[in-house]
């Protein structure tokens, strides 16, 4: 099953709901960063919530989420857009705690910062103190406090004993303006009585099944779906332009000092290599 996201409404259009399976997306992030289970879990949870935040946007809009709780993982950074493309990294991908405690690995002494580029001169930035470092609760707090939208966020990654990703996915449920406040209480009450998210996604359920599980199949209406994937925005073209923009003196300096240049993209861990001959050519077109 390819990764995809569904958008839905529920409870007589009082609630909007998103669910996504991100198993392949998170596995790709793990492979690129050679991440161990706890780091994969934390990064995967944030990418899952992040890709849903992206799906709330339109056109060329983008969203970036930074989490830094002072724990051993360091910073988790996730970028996403309205096309279902998401990329992310964690400063210390080798982090692995025995009981896979994501909250402890992330830490709670810090912030979750969301920056949305909606085509205006300045991005919209919202920030909240981390609640538990478990990611889902932190995104819930961000949406409720910073965006003033009563929300429920559930995200999880299930690992295999061999450290590979078994399954990943999650949901965001939000009260629409004018909705009866009691609806969210009903949903939260219902969620207390159902099987935990990890056990549901571990059974390879579809995003539709996940929403039916959380909201009750009689309450939810699916609207549309879209593919989701790990996709970085870096390219040889972009890196080449970045080197050219350094100027001919700087490039000459690289040629003399190292005889080559290497640029690594943090987000996808791709390394771009330039030898002397290529640098000489770039120097010619630089100012
Ligand atoms: Zn990249």
């Amino acid at each position: 099953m390819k990764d995809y996201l569904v958008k839905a409404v529920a409870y007589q259009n009082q609630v909007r709901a998103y669910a996504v399976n991100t198993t392949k997306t998170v596995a790709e992030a793990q492979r690129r960063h050679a991440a161990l289970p706890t780091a994969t879990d934390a990064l995967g949870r944030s990418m899952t919530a992040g890709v849903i935040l992206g799906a709330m946007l339109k056109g060329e809009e983008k969203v970036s989420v930074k989490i830094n709780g002072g724990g051993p993982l360091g910073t988790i950074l996730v970028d996403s857009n309205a096309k279902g493309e998401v990329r992310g990294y964690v400063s210390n991908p080798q982090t692995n705690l025995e009981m896979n405690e994501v909250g402890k690995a992330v830490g709670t002494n810090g912030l979750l910062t969301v920056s949305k580029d909606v085509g205006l001169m300045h991005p919209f930035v919202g920030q909240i103190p981390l609640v538990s470092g478990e990611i889902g609760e932190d995104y819930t707090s961000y949406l409720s406090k910073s965006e003033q939208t009563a929300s429920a966020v559930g995200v999880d990654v299930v690992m295999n004993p061999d450290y590979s990703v078994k399954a990943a996915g999650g949901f965001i449920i939000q009260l629409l303006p004018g909705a009866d406040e009691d609806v969210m209480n009903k949903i939260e009450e219902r969620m207390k009585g159902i099987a935990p998210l990890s056990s549901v996604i571990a059974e390879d359920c579809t995003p539709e099944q996940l929403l039916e599980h959380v909201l009750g199949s009689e309450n939810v209406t699916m609207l549309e779906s879209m593919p989701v994937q790990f996709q970085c925005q870096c390219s040889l073209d972009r890196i080449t332009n970045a080197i050219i923009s350094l100027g001919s003196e700087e490039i000459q300096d690289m040629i003399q000092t190292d005889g080559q240049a290497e640029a690594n993209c943090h987000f996808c861990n791709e390394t771009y290599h330039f030898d002397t001959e290529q640098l000489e050519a770039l120097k010619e077109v630089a100012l």
Side-chain angles (χ1 to χ4, degrees):
M1 180 168 68
K2 279 193 171 168
D3 289 350
Y4 70 97
L5 178 147
V6 293
K7 301 179 184 180
V9 287
Y11 290 91
Q12 291 86 40
N13 296 331
Q14 297 192 82
V15 167
R16 65 171 175 178
Y18 304 82
V20 63
N21 65 329
T22 50
T23 306
K24 294 199 164 59
T25 306
V26 174
E28 173 77 5
Q30 180 191 39
R31 183 188 69 76
R32 287 185 170 271
H33 298 295
L36 290 178
T38 311
T40 303
D41 194 347
L43 176 61
R45 289 185 196 188
S46 196
M47 285 176 70
T48 301
V51 81
I52 300 178
L53 291 195
M56 295 175 183
L57 302 174
K58 306 185 287 286
E60 299 299 314
E61 295 175 356
K62 289 179 279 194
V63 60
S64 185
V65 182
K66 182 170 147 188
I67 293 174
N68 189 327
L73 284 172
T75 299
I76 303 171
L77 196 60
V78 170
D79 271 3
S80 164
N81 60 25
K83 300 166 199 157
E85 296 170 340
V86 61
R87 61 180 187 172
Y89 75 85
V90 52
S91 325
N92 301 310
Q94 296 299 307
T95 307
N96 201 27
L97 303 188
E98 209 168 311
M99 303 300 288
N100 205 20
E101 302 139 300
V102 167
K104 214 164 142 186
V106 171
T108 51
N109 187 20
L111 301 166
L112 180 150
T113 308
V114 175
S115 176
K116 279 187 196 171
D117 177 356
V118 293
L120 302 171
M121 191 160 24
H122 298 291
F124 162 84
V125 179
Q127 202 167 53
I128 54 114
L130 290 170
V131 179
S132 65
E134 295 283 341
I135 314 286
E137 283 171 21
D138 304 299
Y139 272 84
T140 302
S141 171
Y142 163 75
L143 290 167
S144 305
K145 289 189 181 138
S146 190
E147 297 199 5
Q148 275 106 40
T149 309
S151 307
V153 182
V155 285
D156 214 347
V157 176
V158 181
M159 304 298 296
N160 286 314
D162 70 357
Y163 283 13
S164 62
V165 176
K166 179 173 170 59
F171 62 84
I172 295 184
I173 293 160
Q174 299 192 305
L175 217 51
L176 285 163
D180 183 354
E181 297 276 330
D182 202 42
V183 171
M184 202 45 120
N185 296 335
K186 269 190 205 159
I187 293 169
E188 277 165 5
E189 209 41 53
R190 189 190 144 81
M191 280 166 63
K192 284 180 197 157
I194 58 175
L197 180 61
S198 58
S199 69
V200 181
I201 62 170
E203 281 164 29
D204 265 337
C205 76
T206 64
E208 288 89 345
Q209 287 167 333
L210 180 55
L211 281 186
E212 286 169 356
H213 174 74
V214 175
L215 294 166
S217 55
E218 67 282 13
N219 299 317
V220 56
T221 309
M222 306 302 162
L223 298 179
E224 55 178 307
S225 68
M226 64 192 267
V228 158
Q229 61 183 326
F230 187 104
Q231 178 71 54
C232 195
Q233 308 303 324
C234 73
S235 65
L236 182 58
D237 262 9
R238 282 191 185 208
I239 306 284
T240 304
N241 286 332
I243 292 181
I244 292 170
S245 72
L246 293 173
S248 56
E249 266 180 53
E250 188 87 8
I251 300 173
Q252 180 56 37
D253 205 43
M254 285 177 186
I255 296 168
Q256 270 168 350
T257 329
D258 299 318
Q260 54 137 5
E262 247 176 32
N264 176 263
C265 173
H266 286 310
F267 277 105
C268 66
N269 211 17
E270 194 77 43
T271 300
Y272 296 89
H273 185 86
F274 298 85
D275 60 21
T276 305
E277 203 179 322
Q278 288 166 318
L279 288 175
E280 290 285 2
L282 296 184
K283 194 179 80 178
E284 291 305 311
V285 291
L287 294 172

